[in-house]
Amino acid sequence: MARPLLESGHRVVVMPMAVARWGEIRRQTADPGLLLTFLGTAAALGLFVLYPAFRVLVYPSLRDYLAIPESLRWIQAARNSLMMMVLSTISATVVGLVFAFATTRPDLPGRRMFRGLAMLPLFAPPFMVAFAYILMFGRQGLITRSLLGLQANIFGWHGLWLVQTIAFFPLAMLIIAGVLDAVNPSLEHAARNLGADEWTVLRSISLALARPGIAGAMLVVAISVLADFGNAVIIAGGFPLLATEAWFRMEGMGDLKGAALVVAMLLIPTVALFFLERYWVSRRVYTVVTGRGSRIERPSTPPVLKWGAVAICSLVSLLVLLVYFGVIAGAFTAVWGRDWSLTLEHWRLAADRIASLWSSVKIGALAGVITGTVSVVVAFLTSRHLPFRGVLDFLAVLPGALPGVFVGVGYVLAFNATPIGGTVWVLAAALAFWHLPMGYQAASARLKQIERSIEEAAVNLGATGLQVLRDVYLPLLVRALVEAFAVSFIRAVTNVSIVIFLIAPGQVVATFVILNMIQNNIWGAGAALTTMLLLLTFASIGVTWIAVGRTVRSPGMG
Amino acid sequence: MNRAHVSVQGITKRFGPTVAVDGVSLDVEEGSFTTLLGPSGCGKTTLLRMVAGFHHPDQGDIFLRGIRVTDIPAHRRNTAMVFQEYALFPHMTVGENVGYGLRLRRVSADEATRRVGQVMELVGLAGQQRKFPHHLSGGQQQRVALARALVVEPEVLLLDEPLSNLDAKLRIRVRSEIRQLQQQLGKTTLYVTHDQEEALAISDRIAVMNRGRILQLGTPLQIYHHPVNRFVADFVGLANFLEGEVSAPGQVRMEGVSLTVPDGALPGRRVTVVLRPEAIRLHARPPEGVANVLRGYVTAASFLGTLARYWVDAAGRHWIVDVPSPGEALMTGEVFLEIPRDRIHLLTET
Ligand SMILES: Nc1ncnc2c1ncn2[C@@H]1O[C@H](COP(=O)(O)OP(=O)(O)O)[C@@H](O)[C@H]1O
Ligand SMILES: [Mg+2]
């Protein structure tokens, strides 16, 4: 009955890796649906991510590239962009660090409020800080002129510096707070126990451990500053910057080649910073975070530190509130700077352009659907043991390294001459794929929490790759899908950097209208339309929140 | 070709430098309950998953009823698996979970409802279809996983340490339920565990594995009483090992003692004597008229309810002796070990 015992196998012939790999491919092709999805997705990413970028880079000739150093204006713009990057990155990171520190201290008065207020700039359209500060601190500024009687000029690099600090410190705060939150308080207690005073603990433990977080925050802020178009175009005035220069080239002079050159110049630092962040800093942050945070309360903060932080946070929070206050007040004020009486006149004017808001919603919804779907599908595919999945992953995160103006110029070059050129589809696709990294990374993270065996159970019962996607992953990823849709939608309806390049005649969107109004000093209507955009944003957040709460019916999932 | 229901022939699976399964062959007869037993990391799961089709063997073949299935993808093999962590779909009700395999097989809704109801009754969860998995206890989730695997009427039922997430008492109850169900349905079953007691309790046959290989295949009694080597003897149950040399037929001499053993080994061979703790008898006074008696001292004793376990020093060694149904008091001080000849198992390799 029993087979011989100790039946060990034949010795193995070493199989070359390539053969093993082909075997894997052959087995995967046994599931044609999955393979087709993979190929289709790869093709879509190639067409909508890689191809436009490629078009930008090859559009100017080598001679054009070599001539860059001879153009004084471009060198000037590059130098200015780098200068703003350094200034704004440092100031935004310092403010972000103070906020992160303050909001992770349990004994700091108003810490929740500070964190909440600091999030506000993240929801504002990307030109709103600049717009509000012109209203507050400009020549007709409520504070500078009406209250203080100053003759201030906010246009130029110093105005931009203030604006970018306020616009981007929330990013730094979120990243650094994430790291500080993860520092186990027991480490601090241990240091104290060994005789360190509060200052030493702060310096040698908390800040030391947060260092990779600070580095990561600086890189992310630096990319945002370099790519910042919305604020710069409004407030930089005659101060040339790479991001705005691309637009002036194209709009003012129809110089597509010049625009391509400028955005290509902009790409070098952003890509470098991006990969530094992704493949170096974020990994180091991760190793710090691994310690399990036990719930020991942090001890009380030294008073000097505490009240210093409260003072800074209060001042900055006030500046944040002014962003919202300025725009909303502007929408109801008869003539800003001269006649402070209340009026609804601007809303009538804004209502005339309400069609542009509907276009925004339509394009935003389109972009949201594309981002959501592609995010989930790519996250699913990169979780498979498919060959070349690393390529897919790379293409899905790459747009995070591309400045909006680069994407804008890229889509012009790639699609204007095609049948879909000039349609809303091009704009929607550009916005959708630009926002892909956020949706993709969220979906990927969610996917990783789902135990692999859940999928195997489905396969074991007979499900093909696509049936697994449909029956297991889609339902479990609904939340990620909705969130990806919402983020993409909100960012699409408030976008300016891509929109200005791809706006189609007859499909004018709200941000484009607002930008024109601001530049033509039609502040009241611009403010009214911006307020509508804000309402739309917060309404979408609310709806998403409710929708996500409803769809997640299984708290049992990890 | 053999008539085994599941036949694994010479399969090897490597993960990078690790050889997880190393040239294993195994036949599982129709309707039998076969257990893969071995320490953690010995390749049990990998072997089971190759039968399910989740891994493709680097070498060797797998047959179901004599048909080669090595290259058939997992979703087209009818080998239902119960996962260690149950792997219930968190977004589906219990009924939807159990019915999922039927849905994929395009069984009509009425028929599916009927069969789901049947199998739920079988696992003792009648009428719980509308609950979600997270509403159920661990033991109930385990049964849902079992029901989900059984409802598709698989060729083979595969279970990977299905009881490891249950507490000790429940584990014993559920394992006998699984066994009863298996016998009732006559379902060919391949079961993985690292718990030797569990394996002995429920299997028709056990394959003891170590480092990717099957060391011994046999019934629980064979494995326990006639282990083929020291590893198996040590892994399955407790054992006293004594090394010595066969001095004459039926005699093994070792340092300080000589034991009368069953015939078999040739004089001059080095052998290992394997003695189960409960095979040794313990006496307070020297027993009369028996061979193999050693004088010793109790160094420690432990009362385990159904038995008492003694650590005894005798003949210059430490011995473990189990005495069943201990009375009111444990033995201390001087004792005498009696080693019945027919309870001795000899290993000729060391
Ligand atoms: N997917 C995998 N990738 C790499 N190594 C693996 C993988 N699965 C198992 N192994 C390795 O193969 C060996 C056998 O693992 P496994 O079959 O899970 O053992 P068991 O189930 O007996 O505990 C272990 O050394 C394990 O680390
Ligand atoms: Mg295992």
Side-chain angles (χ1 to χ4, degrees):
Chain A
M1 145 212 103
R3 291 175 60 84
L5 306 169
L6 278 170
E7 192 178 67
S8 67
H10 346 266
R11 269 290 88 188
V12 292
V13 191
V14 175
M15 187 165 56
M17 275 316 279
V19 178
R21 200 173 173 131
W22 273 113
E24 193 56 39
I25 293 171
R26 214 188 46 231
R27 266 189 300 288
Q28 295 291 352
T29 48
D31 194 342
L34 187 64
L35 191 77
L36 281 178
T37 311
F38 181 80
L39 293 177
T41 309
L45 288 179
L47 182 63
F48 291 110
V49 175
L50 214 49
Y51 178 60
F54 172 77
R55 285 286 293 161
V56 173
L57 297 178
V58 301
Y59 193 70
S61 68
L62 191 60
R63 182 127 34 93
D64 298 327
Y65 278 111
L66 293 177
I68 288 176
E70 288 157 30
S71 165
L72 259 183
R73 184 162 170 94
W74 288 354
I75 294 303
Q76 193 60 45
R79 204 177 290 154
N80 291 345
S81 280
L82 289 179
M83 180 185 98
M84 288 319 300
M85 179 188 89
V86 173
L87 286 178
S88 300
T89 300
I90 291 173
S91 56
T93 308
V94 168
V95 174
L97 177 63
V98 173
F99 266 81
F101 168 78
T103 57
T104 49
R105 290 268 139 185
D107 63 335
L108 203 113
R111 55 189 274 264
R112 293 231 162 80
M113 180 193 72
F114 286 137
R115 175 123 17 155
L117 288 175
M119 301 286 284
L120 282 179
L122 293 176
F123 302 113
F127 52 84
M128 185 164 142
V129 181
F131 181 27
Y133 283 7
I134 291 174
L135 296 177
M136 285 295 142
F137 306 111
R139 243 185 289 269
Q140 311 289 339
L142 172 64
I143 292 177
T144 40
R145 202 181 98 137
S146 302
L147 292 183
L148 302 175
L150 296 173
Q151 269 297 328
N153 181 9
I154 191 156
F155 294 98
W157 66 269
H158 49 281
L160 185 60
W161 186 17
L162 172 68
V163 164
Q164 288 180 333
T165 304
I166 297 302
F168 299 127
F169 88 86
L171 286 178
M173 176 193 75
L174 285 181
I175 294 169
I176 299 171
V179 178
L180 282 182
D181 267 337
V183 173
N184 193 333
S186 59
L187 285 180
E188 298 175 0
H189 280 292
R192 235 165 258 124
N193 188 248
L194 293 169
D197 61 31
E198 282 307 313
W199 284 98
T200 317
V201 168
L202 185 71
R203 209 163 25 84
S204 63
I205 306 291
S206 321
L207 286 183
L209 285 175
R211 221 178 282 148
I214 296 172
M218 291 185 83
L219 294 176
V220 169
V221 171
I223 295 172
S224 309
V225 170
L226 277 174
D228 179 23
F229 174 84
N231 291 312
V233 80
I234 292 181
I235 214 167
F239 187 68
L241 291 158
L242 287 176
T244 46
E245 191 63 19
W247 163 238
F248 296 142
R249 286 279 146 185
M250 219 173 104
E251 176 66 5
M253 318 173 203
D255 176 11
L256 209 47
K257 191 183 286 174
L261 268 178
V262 174
V263 294
M265 283 165 72
L266 189 55
L267 186 70
I268 297 164
T270 54
V271 164
L273 294 168
F274 178 80
F275 285 101
L276 203 60
E277 199 281 324
R278 187 170 164 78
Y279 293 105
W280 182 63
V281 177
S282 59
R283 261 171 218 182
R284 302 195 32 167
V285 172
Y286 197 63
T287 57
V288 175
V289 177
T290 48
R292 257 259 153 91
S294 55
R295 287 291 106 208
I296 310 173
E297 281 287 282
R298 290 200 158 88
S300 57
T301 314
V304 185
L305 223 53
K306 182 154 93 181
W307 296 110
V310 169
I312 296 175
C313 291
S314 305
L315 180 69
V316 174
S317 299
L318 196 66
L319 285 170
V320 168
L321 283 174
L322 286 182
V323 173
Y324 279 75
F325 170 77
V327 168
I328 295 168
F332 293 99
T333 304
V335 185
W336 194 264
R338 299 214 180 81
D339 179 358
W340 294 107
S341 57
L342 288 180
T343 177
L344 286 177
E345 187 60 19
H346 305 309
W347 291 85
R348 226 175 37 76
L349 216 66
D352 285 346
R353 310 304 303 270
I354 198 82
S356 69
L357 200 63
W358 293 131
S359 306
S360 293
V361 170
K362 209 167 66 187
I363 290 166
L366 208 55
V369 168
I370 298 173
T371 307
T373 318
V374 178
S375 293
V376 169
V377 171
V378 177
F380 173 72
L381 289 172
T382 53
S383 73
R384 307 293 79 192
H385 282 289
L386 289 162
F388 309 115
R389 64 192 170 130
V391 177
L392 225 54
D393 174 77
F394 176 80
L395 289 179
V397 298
L398 183 64
L402 310 178
V405 288
F406 181 92
V407 175
V409 174
Y411 270 64
V412 168
L413 291 174
F415 300 111
N416 257 14
T418 66
I420 56 165
T423 67
V424 291
W425 291 95
V426 177
L427 179 53
L431 292 166
F433 282 90
W434 195 43
H435 299 135
L436 182 61
M438 284 172 298
Y440 163 67
Q441 279 162 342
S444 261
R446 189 110 190 102
L447 208 59
K448 286 206 182 82
Q449 293 174 341
I450 301 173
E451 289 208 51
R452 188 66 191 237
S453 58
I454 302 251
E455 167 188 347
E456 288 174 343
V459 172
N460 184 247
L461 291 169
T464 63
L466 288 186
Q467 282 169 330
V468 169
L469 177 60
R470 183 195 67 194
D471 299 337
V472 177
Y473 285 120
L474 278 185
L476 292 176
L477 287 176
V478 166
R479 187 198 189 112
L481 191 86
V482 172
E483 282 167 358
F485 171 87
V487 171
S488 181
F489 172 81
I490 291 169
R491 294 197 152 220
V493 297
T494 56
N495 178 278
V496 283
S497 59
I498 289 180
V499 159
I500 49 145
F501 289 99
L502 296 174
I503 199 79
Q507 284 289 356
V508 169
V509 296
T511 49
F512 187 78
V513 174
I514 296 170
L515 217 56
N516 273 324
M517 286 174 165
I518 297 172
Q519 281 175 334
N520 294 316
N521 294 330
I522 312 172
W523 289 347
L529 212 49
T530 307
T531 307
M532 287 191 200
L533 218 46
L534 281 176
L535 287 176
L536 186 63
T537 300
F538 284 98
S540 329
I541 293 170
V543 169
T544 311
W545 204 58
I546 293 165
V548 166
R550 284 253 173 80
T551 52
V552 181
R553 59 172 176 171
S554 59
M557 207 178 75
Chain B
M1 192 89 301
N2 61 54
R3 288 172 44 249
H5 192 175
V6 183
S7 177
V8 166
Q9 306 208 337
I11 61 175
T12 294
K13 179 70 189 174
R14 274 177 241 102
F15 295 106
T18 318
V19 186
V21 172
D22 189 1
V24 162
S25 296
L26 173 71
D27 282 349
V28 178
E29 283 159 36
E30 174 134 30
S32 81
F33 193 115
T34 302
T35 297
L36 304 176
L37 171 68
S40 160
C42 73
K44 310 178 294 285
T45 297
T46 307
L47 182 54
L48 195 75
R49 291 166 65 86
M50 282 194 281
V51 174
F54 292 129
H55 294 313
H56 190 264
D58 296 329
Q59 263 196 341
D61 275 309
I62 298 163
F63 298 87
L64 276 182
R65 287 194 196 286
I67 298 166
R68 185 171 172 277
V69 297
T70 318
D71 292 325
I72 293 188
H75 68 275
R76 284 203 254 125
R77 295 188 197 185
N78 203 5
T79 51
M81 183 149 166
V82 176
F83 292 81
Q84 187 168 2
E85 57 277 29
Y86 315 143
L88 299 178
F89 307 122
H91 56 298
M92 297 186 194
T93 62
V94 167
E96 286 165 347
N97 261 284
V98 176
Y100 184 66
L102 298 175
R103 204 176 107 201
L104 292 173
R105 284 165 179 71
R106 299 176 199 286
V107 173
S108 73
D110 287 348
E111 164 85 358
T113 311
R114 196 180 55 77
R115 277 167 68 179
V116 168
Q118 250 172 12
V119 77
M120 289 292 282
E121 204 162 315
L122 205 58
V123 298
L125 286 176
Q128 310 256 30
Q129 280 92 319
R130 315 204 49 170
K131 293 189 176 165
F132 277 95
H134 61 266
H135 292 140
L136 302 181
S137 71
Q140 288 172 320
Q141 292 185 19
Q142 215 287 319
R143 286 170 223 209
V144 174
L146 189 61
R148 185 176 67 177
L150 285 174
V151 78
V152 297
E153 294 176 355
E155 281 275 343
V156 200
L157 184 61
L158 306 175
L159 302 106
D160 189 358
E161 313 226 6
L163 307 180
S164 58
N165 285 328
L166 303 180
D167 64 51
K169 270 235 167 80
L170 200 55
R171 210 148 51 206
I172 292 173
R173 207 178 82 202
V174 176
R175 85 182 179 203
S176 60
E177 282 171 6
I178 289 179
R179 175 60 163 158
Q180 272 172 20
L181 207 57
Q182 183 268 337
Q183 284 178 324
Q184 184 185 339
L185 301 172
K187 187 66 62 188
T188 309
T189 301
L190 200 52
Y191 187 96
V192 162
T193 183
H194 66 269
D195 182 338
Q196 45 99 16
E197 191 196 312
E198 193 174 301
L200 292 174
I202 55 175
S203 317
D204 289 321
R205 291 202 305 166
I206 298 174
V208 183
M209 292 184 67
N210 192 30
R211 296 167 182 240
R213 294 167 184 235
I214 293 182
L215 302 180
Q216 186 173 6
L217 179 67
T219 65
L221 285 166
Q222 282 170 334
I223 299 277
Y224 189 77
H225 290 305
H226 305 286
V228 293
N229 60 24
R230 191 161 173 157
F231 178 86
V232 175
D234 203 21
F235 191 76
V236 181
L238 269 180
N240 296 288
F241 295 102
L242 303 104
E243 277 162 30
E245 194 182 300
V246 181
S247 53
Q251 281 292 322
V252 172
R253 198 179 56 227
M254 54 208 86
E255 227 174 297
V257 243
S258 185
L259 288 182
T260 310
V261 300
D263 294 335
L266 290 174
R269 284 291 294 266
R270 289 208 62 79
V271 292
T272 302
V273 169
V274 180
L275 265 173
R276 296 295 182 190
E278 72 280 6
I280 304 172
R281 290 189 198 130
L282 211 55
H283 302 278
R285 247 163 273 129
E288 311 235 324
V290 288
N292 294 346
V293 176
L294 304 174
R295 198 168 72 144
Y297 292 90
V298 173
T299 58
S302 168
F303 176 64
L304 301 175
T306 56
L307 59 82
R309 174 158 299 165
Y310 292 93
W311 284 264
V312 178
D313 276 2
R317 293 186 174 69
H318 305 294
W319 304 71
I320 297 179
V321 181
D322 283 351
V323 175
S325 41
E328 287 294 317
L330 298 182
M331 282 190 261
T332 52
E334 191 184 60
V335 287
F336 295 88
L337 307 182
E338 178 201 341
I339 302 165
R341 175 173 167 270
D342 58 348
R343 302 291 300 271
I344 293 176
H345 177 63
L346 283 188
L347 296 175
T348 47
E349 50 97 67
T350 43

